[in-house]
Amino acid sequence: MNRLIYLDNNATTQVHPEVVEIMDYCLTECFGNPSTVYSFGRKAKRLMDESREKIAKMIDASKDEIVFTSGGTEADNLAIFGIAKANKDKGKHIITSKIEHHAVINSCKALEKDGFEVTYLDVDKYGIVNLEQLERSIKKETILISIMHANNEIGTIEPIAEIGKIAKEHKIYFHSDTVQSIGKIRVDVKEMNLDMISISSHKLYGPKGVGCLYVKKGTRLKPILYGGEQEHRLRAGTENVPGIAGFGRAMELAITDTDKENERLTRLRDRLQEGLAKRVKHIIFNGHLTERLPNTLNCAIQFIEGESLILKLDDLGICASTGSACTSASLEPSHVLLAIGLPHEIAHGSLRLSLGRDTTDEDIDYVLDVLPKAVDELRAFSPLYKEFLKKGK
Amino acid sequence: MYSEKVMEHFRHPRNVGEMENPDGTGRVGNPVCGDIMELYIKVQDGVIVDAKFQTFGCGAAIATSSMVTELVKGKTLDEALKISNKTVAEALDGLPANKLHCSVLAEEALQAAIEDYRKKEGANK
Ligand SMILES: Cc1ncc(COP(=O)(O)O)c(C=O)c1O
Ligand code: FES
């Protein structure tokens, strides 16, 4: 097997060659500390500032509103703990949803242990948050609403602009984890009334271990790391200059041509979905039919378990992922799949295929050819499938 | 994360499928993650002459089911009862720590199948 069909782009992406190029330049010829006064150090600073400007421009922010971090997880942590620390005199209530990334959910859980109250909003069967429940949950102690833009597992896109409006009306800070949406769909912090958004470089063909938090001017936020005065005193530590340079280039590349790329990805994804619907019996598609990231396909294949399917696909040269309990350390199925109402045994057979820039029509044909066979092989010795067949008779 | 042996049994599981008129059937569910294993045995003169399985579970669950059916063939019932999850895991060159519970499933399915056989035998006497 020499063919690699990478369908796990929501987990991470391949670094773009132009990103490698600028990082290489940075590592070899620009290794100075950006905080220094001499011109060699200023060179590194300039590279970093260019990245900051590019990123700011693409989300309609200004460059002093970008705080570089070590990735999406740190950006989420900074937003949540930073707001909690700076605003606890006003109140200790936070609203988020049941389908957030663990970077948000576990930060909120940690705050609960410190005496904060957190409301985890329900979602409907498509994964859309309940806006009525959101409005009902707001109280005068509410200091933050944190709702992701697009979900990493099922791809559902949340009504961020509407949530932004509600947050603004009530004068509550609004943070959105846009790690999965940036570079795939349009994000405009002004139009969407966003006070903070988290971005991660490795989801958009940039390097791992770098990202940023956009923080709107005037937002009351405290740092979570203490030390030097970097990043407007919000994130201490010598900056990851090569990472930041790569991140900036990756953002620029990701945001040019999104419309054409989205059209292409949507067509491929829909073809994959239609093909699977035809070739695999007892398959359920998860997520919203239209309000969904163009590259994401999540389904549950009944009577088989996800990890075993992933291993079979791996043997066939296909990289994919699952929300099955068997693959998590906690042995719990994905919290997102449970939140959209899937029973445990269905969540068990979940499969996420996330397409990317390199995905071709041939890849889709190949998956449509081999995946149904892999499913059949596993079903051939599934006691649940046997029972199902017997019941049907 | 899995040993080559585990992957080999996962890729080519031995003794898969349902058995017609088994002498003993053991069906167990994994309370931890919700998987299901069914093991069937054929017994002649106190010796397990054939074993088959059906499993709904992860790679480790499938490989341990396959291995346990291999291990029990030709064993007397008392010998078979001595097969523990550790025996199965060792025969597979080890399992990751978070997958040991899947081999417990194999041990329990085997014990349940033998118990089922003995119950039926008792009823026939
Ligand atoms: C929605 C979402 N938020 C946050 C993260 C974490 O980002 P990072 O891997 O950069 O820490 C991820 C990536 O797994 C994600 O998908
Ligand atoms: S059967 Fe679920 S983890 Fe092995």
Side-chain angles (χ1 to χ4, degrees), chain B residues 76-123:
Chain B
T76 66
L77 294 176
D78 287 335
E79 283 167 347
L81 279 174
K82 290 204 191 95
I83 296 176
S84 70
N85 78 303
K86 247 178 99 190
T87 327
V88 183
E90 273 163 21
L92 286 166
D93 293 342
L95 284 172
N98 63 337
K99 293 287 182 179
L100 281 172
H101 69 101
C102 318
S103 61
V104 174
L105 204 60
E107 176 189 320
E108 287 174 354
L110 173 62
Q111 285 170 353
I114 293 174
E115 200 175 303
D116 179 54
Y117 166 75
R118 289 195 160 151
K119 227 191 272 159
K120 281 188 194 156
E121 273 301 281

Side-chain angles (χ1 to χ4, degrees), chain A residues 251-269:
Chain A
M251 262 300 258
E252 199 175 26
L253 292 166
I255 294 194
T256 31
D257 257 9
T258 24
D259 288 349
K260 238 171 78 195
E261 179 61 3
N262 280 350
E263 230 172 83
R264 195 186 74 90
L265 286 172
T266 306
R267 186 183 62 76
L268 288 177
R269 192 268 319 273

